[in-house]
């Protein structure tokens, strides 16, 4: 069984909802980062493309990975598949790619994720009866649609912000703590550091300029954050300021076997270790990373204190604090999201997991650490995690 290594990675900037990248289709975003990675390795044979995407409707066209391959320079000969584990989709793509390489099924796999939440369409179910005079329309950007009555009765269908409110209430996480963490995320965001991973992309339209910087980060203060309404629950604490954004973007990483690294002169950032997913109650989906990481620590003997680098998705500040406190880490732990997280950067659902895996690998290489952890909570009650190790 061969080892799998995370090598080259590239991404688009993360665009704000309705922002500059909203003029680009998701298949175009994905093709752009595929071509950007391949530009670093002309002629490199690719066995498979695996991309995560949470929204399979509209321009995502059921299998956006394949569509992106056809648009990109890879063409028709490279097979491609799209995986959907909602917020964990991009990280799942990396895990699946590594498994393919370890099993000997591939030598080089492009893994990544894409989401255009701005362009997510409205969908309408077909009529139950002929000549129906009623119609329902669902927004596919985020959240529930076409709800099954049994799931609603058994688990509830609380929105993502409501699940964060549940965690905050159950874990005693105050509004002030959430706002303080949100300010920390914004303050830690390092635009120059992240710019090194971003491939400029020019949206269509006359006079359009290339987008090469993340659009979502913004200046704020504790006073500004405290002034925001908490609209999701009476007396609640979750606001637009201490939650991640609704965003657009794509990311791609090159995963290679030891033989491919040697034969093609690739430079790995990290060796890919264990991946795991776990299920939790949908109403507190944000605690998912704790369950997923517990599976990894049980298999490897590593504890959360053994990781020199941790990249944890920031769906909500309440979710981050629930996880880090469960791991016995201080709220301001320096090695968790050291360059900012999704509260600052935004959270294009299918992209985020691939982005945090690449960020963790790069940080591990730069800091000279031994072990890194990339992990995310997932809507409807799951968690996912991946370990990375120094080369």
């Amino acid at each position: 069984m061969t080892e799998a290594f995370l090598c080259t990675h590239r991404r688009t900037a993360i665009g704000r909802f309705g922002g500059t990248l909203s003029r680009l289709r998701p298949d175009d975003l994905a093709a752009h980062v595929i071509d950007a990675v391949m530009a670093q390795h002309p002629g490199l044979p690719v066995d498979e493309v695996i991309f995560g995407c949470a929204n399979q409707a509209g321009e995502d066209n059921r299998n956006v990975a394949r569509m992106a391959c056809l648009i990109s320079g890879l063409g028709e000969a490279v097979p491609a598949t799209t995986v959907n584990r909602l917020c964990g989709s991009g990280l799942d793509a990396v895990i699946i790619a590594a498994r393919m390489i370890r099993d000997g099924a591939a030598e080089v796999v492009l893994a990544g994720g894409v989401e255009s939440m701005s362009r997510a369409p409205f969908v309408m179910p077909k009529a139950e009866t002929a000549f129906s005079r009623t119609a329902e329309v669902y927004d596919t950007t985020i959240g529930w649609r076409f709800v099954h009555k049994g799931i609603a009765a058994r688990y509830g269908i609380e929105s993502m912000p409501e699940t964060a409110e549940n965690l905050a209430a159950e874990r005693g996480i105050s509004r002030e703590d959430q706002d303080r963490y949100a300010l920390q995320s914004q303050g830690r965001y390092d635009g120059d550091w992240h710019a090194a991973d971003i491939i400029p992309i020019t949206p269509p339209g006359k006079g359009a300029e290339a987008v090469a910087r993340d659009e979502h980060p913004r200046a704020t203060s504790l006073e500004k954050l405290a002034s925001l309404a908490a609209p999701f629950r009476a007396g609640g604490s979750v606001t637009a300021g201490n939650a991640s954004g609704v965003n657009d973007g794509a990311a791609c990483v090159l995963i290679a076997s030891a033989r491919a690294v040697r034969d093609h002169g690739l430079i790995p950032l990290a060796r890919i270790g264990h991946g795991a997913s776990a299920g939790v109650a949908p109403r507190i989906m944000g605690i998912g990373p704790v369950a997923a990481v517990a599976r990894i620590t049980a298999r490897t003997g590593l504890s959360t204190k053994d990781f020199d680098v941790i990249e944890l998705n920031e769906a909500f500040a309440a979710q981050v604090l629930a996880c880090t406190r469960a791991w016995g880490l201080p709220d301001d732990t320096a090695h968790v999201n050291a360059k900012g997280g999704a509260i600052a950067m935004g959270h294009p659902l299918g992209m985020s997991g691939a982005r945090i895996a690449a960020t963790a690998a790069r940080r591990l290489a730069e800091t000279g650490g031994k072990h890194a952890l990339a992990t995310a909570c997932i809507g409807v009650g799951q968690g996912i995690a991946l370990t990375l190790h120094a080369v």
Side-chain angles (χ1 to χ4, degrees):
M1 182 180 292
T2 184
E3 297 284 4
F5 296 91
L6 192 155
C7 302
T8 307
H9 61 101
R10 291 291 181 267
R11 70 173 177 91
T12 67
I14 295 175
R16 301 200 75 175
F17 185 80
T20 310
L21 293 188
S22 66
R23 287 180 273 169
L24 287 153
R25 290 170 53 112
D27 44 10
D28 285 325
L29 290 170
H32 181 73
V33 292
I34 289 171
D35 284 339
V37 168
M38 293 308 298
Q40 302 291 110
H41 310 284
L44 179 69
V46 175
D47 296 305
E48 185 85 32
V49 172
I50 307 171
F51 262 52
C53 184
N55 195 338
Q56 307 294 304
E59 295 166 338
D60 302 280
N61 221 343
R62 296 190 179 93
N63 187 1
V64 69
R66 178 60 176 170
M67 307 306 168
C69 274
L70 295 176
I71 297 167
S72 77
L74 291 178
E76 64 187 32
V78 179
T81 189
T82 302
V83 298
N84 187 353
R85 202 188 287 270
L86 299 181
C87 310
S89 300
L91 193 53
D92 217 7
V94 174
I95 293 170
I96 293 168
R99 288 173 181 159
M100 287 187 68
I101 287 169
R102 289 197 190 99
D103 288 346
E107 297 288 339
V108 175
V109 179
L110 297 184
V114 62
E115 208 76 52
S116 177
M117 300 179 79
S118 295
R119 297 178 75 92
F122 293 100
V123 294
M124 180 183 294
K126 293 180 179 178
E128 295 284 348
T129 60
F131 307 109
S132 173
R133 297 179 63 189
T134 61
E136 291 181 280
V137 176
Y138 297 91
D139 182 359
T140 67
T141 304
I142 192 171
W144 295 91
R145 55 208 186 241
F146 299 103
V147 175
H148 189 287
K149 292 180 180 178
I151 290 178
R154 193 175 304 173
Y155 300 105
I157 52 170
E158 290 159 298
S159 68
M160 292 297 97
E162 288 175 310
T163 68
E165 291 281 12
N166 291 341
L167 264 182
E170 290 186 10
R171 303 285 171 133
I173 302 170
S174 69
R175 166 71 181 269
E176 182 180 359
D177 287 347
Q178 292 174 61
D179 287 347
R180 194 173 299 280
Y181 184 85
L183 182 65
Q184 175 179 287
S185 181
Q186 295 285 356
R188 285 185 177 181
Y189 174 77
D190 186 338
D192 292 335
W193 189 90
H194 285 289
D197 299 333
I198 295 173
I199 294 299
I201 185 169
T202 303
K206 186 177 180 180
E209 297 182 357
V211 182
R213 307 282 290 195
D214 294 321
E215 290 185 333
H216 195 73
R218 53 205 180 275
T220 190
S221 66
L222 279 178
E223 291 73 25
K224 288 180 180 178
L225 290 167
S227 70
L228 297 175
F232 308 107
R233 181 167 298 174
S237 59
V238 176
T239 73
N242 58 38
S244 61
V246 176
N247 303 92
D248 309 325
C252 183
V253 298
L254 191 156
I255 312 297
S257 68
R259 181 166 62 183
V261 166
R262 181 187 65 245
D263 291 350
H264 300 288
L266 303 175
I267 302 175
L269 288 172
R271 176 175 60 85
I272 298 176
H274 288 72
S277 54
V280 298
R283 65 178 301 276
I284 51 169
M285 66 90 201
I287 205 65
V290 174
V293 171
R295 290 191 169 187
I296 285 181
T297 57
R299 294 171 188 169
T300 64
L302 292 170
S303 78
T304 50
K305 292 183 172 64
D306 292 321
F307 292 104
D308 305 289
V309 169
I310 296 178
E311 286 294 319
L312 169 64
N313 78 314
E314 290 179 356
F316 303 93
Q319 166 254 327
V320 176
L321 296 175
C323 292
T324 54
R325 291 177 182 182
W327 293 327
L329 300 175
D331 293 355
D332 60 352
T333 301
H335 66 289
V336 176
N337 296 356
K339 302 296 183 180
I343 290 174
M345 299 171 66
H347 182 21
L349 301 179
M351 172 206 189
S352 288
R355 198 278 301 166
I356 67 173
T359 297
R362 182 181 162 199
R363 284 183 54 211
L364 186 67
E366 290 179 352
T367 60
K370 292 183 178 181
H371 309 294
L373 174 69
T375 183
C377 66
I378 300 169
V380 202
Q382 294 188 82
I384 190 167
L386 173 68
T387 64
L388 299 163
H389 308 281
V391 178

